[in-house]
């Protein structure tokens, strides 16, 4: 199963493709889509949308996992990121891909085993899970890979629970 993990943003969108092979997660491709500050928001949204569509078409994931947005201060930023997240969801939905969302706490729990883990701990465990030489940069990329790993673990658990419930 190929999973696309996304860390939504308007300036930087982190993405990471992993293949779940049995109990292992193998990195396929990762990076970020960046938009220029001071560019009209509609152009930034178009750039994000087209970037996600190109990635989906090239790497053909079976599922998309996004980090849920959490903002407690800047409403303007929340609105922009929410719109960017919307075009990401649209791109995946147009391709018929199942979309799952995970809170930052769920991602931390899946990666580190502790929902209030430090960002650095999550990044280091992500690096170790995927056997990478270094933590991917910028942070949004490592976060996207962590979301993909979270989905891989959650998908496995949910599949097993559904098997038990069906029998």
């Amino acid at each position: 199963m190929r999973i696309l993990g996304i860390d939504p943003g308007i300036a930087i969108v982190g993405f990471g493709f992993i293949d779940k092979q049995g109990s292992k997660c193998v990195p396929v491709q990762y990076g970020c889509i960046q938009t220029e500050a001071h560019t009209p928001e509609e152009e930034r949204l178009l750039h994000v949308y087209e970037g996600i569509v190109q990635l989906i078409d090239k790497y053909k994931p079976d599922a998309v996992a996004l980090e849920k947005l959490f903002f407690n201060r800047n409403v303007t930023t929340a609105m922009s990121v929410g719109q960017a997240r919307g075009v990401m969801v649209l791109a995946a939905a147009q391709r018929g891909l199942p979309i799952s969302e995970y809170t930052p706490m769920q991602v931390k729990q899946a990666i580190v085993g502790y929902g209030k883990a430090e960002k650095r701990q999550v990044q280091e465990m992500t690096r170790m899970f995927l056997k990478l030489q270094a933590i991917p940069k910028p942070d949004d990329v490592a976060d996207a890979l962590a979301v993909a790993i979270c989905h891989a673990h959650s998908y496995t658990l949910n599949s097993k629970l559904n098997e038990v419930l069906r029998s």
Side-chain angles (χ1 to χ4, degrees):
M1 171 201 272
R2 179 160 292 171
I3 302 163
L4 166 57
I6 300 175
D7 180 32
I10 188 70
I12 301 173
V13 176
F15 68 85
F17 289 89
I18 64 168
D19 283 346
K20 180 164 176 36
Q21 299 173 345
S23 61
K24 293 190 318 184
C25 291
V26 179
V28 175
Q29 182 61 276
Y30 50 90
C32 62
I33 299 167
Q34 295 183 314
T35 65
E36 293 290 325
H38 311 298
T39 302
E41 190 166 50
E42 63 272 15
E43 289 179 30
R44 295 176 94 178
L45 292 171
L46 180 61
H47 182 72
V48 168
Y49 171 79
E50 289 174 341
I52 293 293
V53 166
Q54 288 173 2
L55 288 167
I56 289 172
D57 289 348
K58 182 173 183 177
Y59 294 102
K60 307 206 178 319
D62 300 301
V64 175
L66 292 115
E67 187 169 80
K68 282 187 181 178
L69 300 180
F70 176 77
F71 285 94
N72 58 1
R73 280 184 270 165
N74 192 333
V75 175
T76 304
T77 302
M79 294 297 285
S80 293
V81 175
Q83 288 179 318
R85 189 184 164 287
V87 301
M88 296 170 211
V89 170
L90 174 63
Q94 284 179 324
R95 298 301 189 270
L97 296 171
I99 301 163
S100 300
E101 300 176 279
Y102 299 95
T103 65
M105 188 175 277
Q106 287 173 307
V107 174
K108 291 174 181 180
Q109 180 71 40
I111 303 298
V112 180
Y114 176 59
K116 294 184 180 178
E118 297 290 324
K119 188 173 195 70
R120 180 82 177 136
Q121 290 174 295
V122 176
Q123 292 173 341
E124 181 59 26
M125 288 301 294
T126 298
R127 184 194 70 74
M128 291 171 59
F129 268 123
L130 298 176
K131 296 178 175 55
L132 301 173
Q133 293 294 316
I135 295 170
K137 296 290 179 197
D139 291 350
D140 312 77
V141 178
D143 293 347
L145 287 166
V147 172
I149 294 167
C150 174
H151 182 70
H153 292 326
S154 297
Y155 179 82
T156 301
L157 178 62
N158 289 335
S159 296
K160 289 182 183 193
L161 284 173
N162 287 334
E163 282 178 31
V164 169
L165 293 173
R166 275 182 259 156
S167 43

